[in-house]
Amino acid sequence: MGTRIDGKKVAARTKADLAKRVELLKARGIQPGLGTILVGSDPGSVKYVAGKHADCAEIGVNSIKRELPENATFDQVADAVRQLNADPACTGYIVQLPLPRGIDENAIIDLIDPKKDADGMHPYNLGELVLHARGDIATPLPCTPRGVIELLRAYDIDLDGKEVCVLGRGITIGRTIGLLLTRKAVNATVTLCHTGTKDVREHMRRADVIVAAMGVAGFVKPEDIKEGSILVDVGVSRVFDEESGRYKVKGDVDKACYEKALAYTPNPGGVGPMTRAMLLQNVVEMAERQL
Ligand SMILES: NC(=O)C1=CN([C@@H]2O[C@H](COP(=O)(O)OP(=O)(O)OC[C@H]3O[C@@H](n4cnc5c(N)ncnc54)[C@H](OP(=O)(O)O)[C@@H]3O)[C@@H](O)[C@H]2O)C=CC1
Ligand SMILES: Nc1nc(=O)c2c([nH]1)NC[C@@H]1CN(c3ccc(C(=O)N[C@@H](CCC(=O)O)C(=O)O)cc3)C=[N+]21
């Protein structure tokens, strides 16, 4: 049985450290504040946003909530973005995705002040990430990819020279994590797979590390992986559980793989809590840049 990588534990440690940094900021007259813009009432999104505010309260960061109805227009969402750009109490914020159909998400993300982009997904910040393969980087990093890397680092898993197979080319993780994994400080070699990949299972079998970020429950099977591989399970599906009669969160990795793995992140309890912790870390770092 491989090592279970406990995301909750590492996230709690990260938050305890951030709480101290928030104290220092306050002592120097800076109060960090996280803004959220939620459009509509998708139950998943409502839950994520509530979780983010609870995290803020835990470490002493102020919350600024903006809620718009499902039928909000592009201009209304754009106005909410402009208000948070101008609000000095808001040091960083996110627009919860997905936005209702008909609102161009990329056009909204474009309007976010890159200095307040807590998700690290503004084109300017993504561009900075592309341009800086070496040295320090002073712009906010995308939360989920950063969470994955911090989580592996917390368990002393060295990615230098490792073959990483990423499954999925979504914006929140698949398409950007390679930019972090291939930075000189991490030094991994990355293959990015998607529905156009010819033999995705062949790529998985070759990999030292698999980052599964598709949202296809149980996609990665024991016969697809190498003995001693490291499994990072990011994808989230809600699957009906016959036994309990309730919907349960399921990851992209079949639990039967754990036996063969050197280490694995459970789902839930792995990457999710780290994603949230990295959002807070971005907000604290953005506030620290004001010092
Ligand atoms: N735990 C956490 O903290 C987080 C979890 N997530 C979860 O991670 C998952 C990915 O999110 P996101 O980055 O937004 O990606 P998207 O959901 O936008 O995209 C999914 C990707 O998976 C690919 N894919 C789907 N089925 C297959 C298949 N059978 N074979 C190969 N590739 C496939 C798609 O390929 P194609 O492009 O060809 O259609 C697509 O690129 C989601 O389930 C999301 O909920 C996201 C962020 C944080
Ligand atoms: N712009 C943007 N940024 C995101 O970061 C983003 C997004 N859009 N769209 C949707 C996905 C999904 N996502 C999760 C975050 C935390 C948990 C999380 O904390 N999960 C807990 C359990 C939660 C439960 O049980 O329901 C865990 O894994 O232990 C899960 C999923 C962020 N996403």
Side-chain angles (χ1 to χ4, degrees):
M1 197 68 168
T3 303
R4 180 179 186 277
I5 297 178
D6 189 340
K8 270 193 183 164
K9 200 161 90 186
V10 180
R13 221 186 297 148
T14 307
K15 284 194 271 185
D17 169 59
L18 291 173
K20 286 185 210 144
R21 287 162 65 178
V22 171
E23 279 307 310
L24 288 175
L25 280 165
K26 286 182 185 169
R28 300 181 67 173
I30 294 174
Q31 168 62 59
L34 172 73
T36 56
I37 298 176
L38 174 64
V39 186
S41 51
D42 168 71
S45 295
V46 169
K47 197 171 151 196
Y48 290 139
V49 169
K52 284 161 188 169
H53 290 295
D55 289 342
C56 284
E58 209 179 311
I59 68 157
V61 166
N62 280 348
S63 291
I64 302 150
K65 288 177 220 171
R66 291 287 145 86
E67 287 171 8
L68 294 166
E70 182 75 32
N71 62 1
T73 61
F74 178 90
D75 288 336
Q76 285 171 316
V77 181
D79 266 347
V81 168
R82 290 192 191 98
Q83 279 173 26
L84 291 185
N85 282 345
D87 183 352
C90 171
T91 49
Y93 70 95
I94 61 150
V95 178
Q96 182 65 33
L97 303 180
L99 290 173
R101 227 172 309 171
I103 298 187
D104 182 347
E105 289 183 350
N106 286 343
I108 291 292
I109 294 172
D110 252 354
L111 298 172
I112 297 174
D113 177 348
K115 286 195 235 29
K116 291 193 176 190
D117 169 29
D119 251 342
M121 299 217 292
H122 186 279
Y124 174 82
N125 293 321
L126 291 177
E128 284 290 313
L129 184 53
V130 172
L131 291 172
H132 292 94
R134 291 176 173 72
D136 289 337
I137 189 155
T139 42
L141 299 174
C143 300
T144 309
R146 189 178 190 188
V148 168
I149 287 168
E150 293 290 323
L151 190 53
L152 297 180
R153 200 202 314 267
Y155 277 77
D156 290 325
I157 294 170
D158 186 7
L159 295 170
D160 197 327
K162 294 270 166 46
E163 290 276 344
V164 182
C165 173
V166 177
L167 304 173
R169 59 179 152 196
I171 294 302
T172 40
I173 159 112
R175 203 157 155 69
T176 53
I177 193 170
L179 294 171
L180 285 172
L181 287 167
T182 55
R183 298 189 79 228
K184 189 92 174 165
V186 181
N187 244 4
T189 301
V190 177
T191 306
L192 179 54
C193 298
H194 41 74
T195 54
T197 303
K198 232 188 191 160
D199 189 354
V200 65
R201 301 199 182 264
E202 182 57 36
H203 288 288
M204 288 195 260
R205 277 193 289 273
R206 243 201 358 252
D208 302 310
V209 181
I210 296 175
V211 177
M214 299 174 297
V216 182
F219 182 86
V220 180
K221 303 282 184 212
E223 58 270 28
D224 303 327
I225 65 169
K226 195 161 81 173
E227 191 79 44
S229 50
I230 292 158
L231 307 176
V232 180
D233 192 359
V234 187
V236 174
S237 309
R238 278 171 213 281
V239 177
F240 188 73
D241 180 54
E242 296 286 351
E243 232 169 82
S244 61
R246 291 206 306 205
Y247 282 90
K248 273 195 173 164
V249 169
K250 267 202 134 186
D252 289 355
V253 176
D254 185 336
K255 287 189 167 64
C257 294
Y258 297 170
E259 204 64 54
K260 231 174 152 182
L262 180 67
Y264 65 92
T265 70
N267 192 350
V271 175
M274 286 304 288
T275 298
R276 284 161 56 175
M278 292 302 110
L279 178 70
L280 297 174
Q281 186 153 320
N282 276 343
V283 175
V284 171
E285 285 174 356
M286 286 186 284
E288 286 171 347
R289 284 188 197 111
Q290 294 181 6
L291 284 176

